[in-house]
Amino acid sequence: MILTVTLNTALDITHRVPALVPHTTHRVTDVIERPGGKGLNVARVLAALGHDTVVTGFAGGPAGEVLRGLLAPLPVRDALVPIGGTTRRTVAVVDTATGDTTQLNEPGPAVTPAEWSAFLDAYGTLLAGADAVALCGSLPPGVHVGAYAELVRRARAAGVPVLLDTSGEPLRRGIAARPDLVKPNADELARLTGAREPLRATRDARRRGAHAVVASLGPEGLLAVTPDGAWRAVPPARVKGNPTGAGDSAVAGLLSGLVEGLSWPERLRRAVALSAATVLAPAAGEFAEEAYRELLEQVTVTEHPAAA
């Protein structure tokens, strides 16, 4: 079983408009609601790849009820912890003329100390049956900034490989707890290390405590620095569409590859193909399956000449 943790779950709402023009009224042509938050997106992709997947985190209020209702028919198991606050909403507005997306993210509900304690109990129980765990996304109000570091340490104590995908101070503290893998994007990596050059920044991030670092470079693919070497994985061409959830699909590719015992090049190939195929899908947490199969054969993976 693969466990994904989303402390700040969301009800994802995607609006499609013919053209997004500031200061005007728009007629929405299509609306899609999905259970969201980074870890839930990861879980849906993992399930589509055939992995037994459990989601945990927090859900509450009317939006939380809708989220859990949408989650129920999906091939993932719901182990979300109920809270008194209301789950946030995220709204993506897709301009169908250009393919560009404008994202509006609410901050999330306040979590009480008692609710955090209940989550820790649930997390410990779930770790006992997990082959790997992904800790994903932002922290909701009320959860201490070192929360991911605490969850990394608990996973390591249980002997469960742990992937961390967050940003800012939670990433800085979490990486010091020595996760097996972190997956920052280029901006998150630069804020963490102060370096803009991808290889330098990725190596610096690894020296801060992570066993391996895979940096997401947007349309330029992934850069991995690991104990076994360094690689670049690049898609065949830039794809147009909704990029929401593309990074989460990359996490699913990396985590599934870890559990399946794939080599680093094959993990990276899968992660890049899934990420690109997600841009072509209508909503986060999905990927265009035919495009994924085609892209998997076209992704270029090269060993980086610099040592890890």
Side-chain angles (χ1 to χ4, degrees):
M1 176 267 283
I2 300 177
L3 175 65
T4 73
V5 175
T6 311
L7 297 178
N8 208 7
T9 57
L11 177 61
D12 283 347
I13 304 166
T14 301
H15 293 294
R16 293 182 178 275
V17 298
L20 182 61
V21 182
H23 316 300
T24 65
T25 299
H26 296 78
R27 184 174 297 279
V28 176
T29 59
D30 188 31
V31 180
I32 301 173
E33 286 188 333
R34 293 286 188 273
K38 293 178 71 64
L40 268 67
N41 294 337
V42 172
R44 290 170 63 192
V45 174
L46 285 169
L49 292 172
H51 286 274
D52 178 24
T53 310
V54 176
V55 297
T56 191
F58 298 109
E65 290 180 10
V66 174
L67 182 152
R68 299 187 84 161
L70 293 169
L71 197 60
L74 299 178
V76 299
R77 287 185 279 157
D78 177 357
L80 295 169
V81 175
I83 57 172
T86 297
T87 296
R88 68 190 177 121
R89 297 162 298 176
T90 66
V91 179
V93 182
V94 180
D95 183 326
T96 55
T98 65
D100 292 336
T101 301
T102 299
Q103 190 84 15
L104 304 173
N105 294 338
E106 296 179 354
V111 174
T112 68
E115 289 165 345
W116 176 245
S117 179
F119 168 78
L120 289 178
D121 289 343
Y123 179 68
T125 300
L126 291 166
L127 278 178
D131 298 311
V133 59
L135 309 174
C136 303
S138 60
L139 299 178
V143 174
H144 66 96
V145 73
Y148 281 135
E150 180 178 2
L151 299 183
V152 168
R153 287 192 292 269
R154 289 181 180 233
R156 287 179 57 82
V160 179
V162 55
L163 182 153
L164 177 62
D165 184 15
T166 188
S167 61
E169 190 62 22
L171 173 60
R172 188 180 305 277
R173 298 198 186 194
I175 202 170
R178 305 186 67 78
D180 294 270
L181 175 61
V182 295
K183 194 212 70 65
N185 63 35
D187 288 339
E188 292 162 351
L189 195 59
R191 288 195 295 270
L192 174 69
T193 66
R196 280 284 173 185
E197 197 284 313
L199 179 61
R200 178 181 176 185
T202 305
R203 295 177 70 178
D204 186 357
R206 184 166 178 254
R207 283 193 292 267
R208 291 167 183 260
H211 191 66
V213 178
V214 176
S216 176
L217 306 179
E220 297 180 12
L222 300 174
L223 170 63
V225 176
T226 81
D228 302 318
W231 291 270
R232 280 291 304 271
V234 182
R238 184 168 188 154
V239 294
K240 279 192 172 184
N242 181 5
T244 305
D248 304 330
S249 291
V251 168
L254 294 169
L255 204 59
S256 61
L258 182 156
V259 169
E260 294 171 28
L262 299 184
S263 67
W264 272 109
E266 290 307 308
R267 295 184 211 180
L268 296 167
R269 189 183 310 279
R270 177 183 291 181
V272 169
L274 282 171
S275 181
T278 297
V279 175
L280 299 171
E286 300 177 358
F287 61 94
E289 293 190 21
E290 184 175 345
Y292 164 63
R293 289 191 292 271
E294 293 176 357
L295 287 161
L296 196 59
E297 301 300 320
Q298 300 170 10
V299 173
T300 301
V301 182
T302 56
E303 189 165 9
H304 203 289

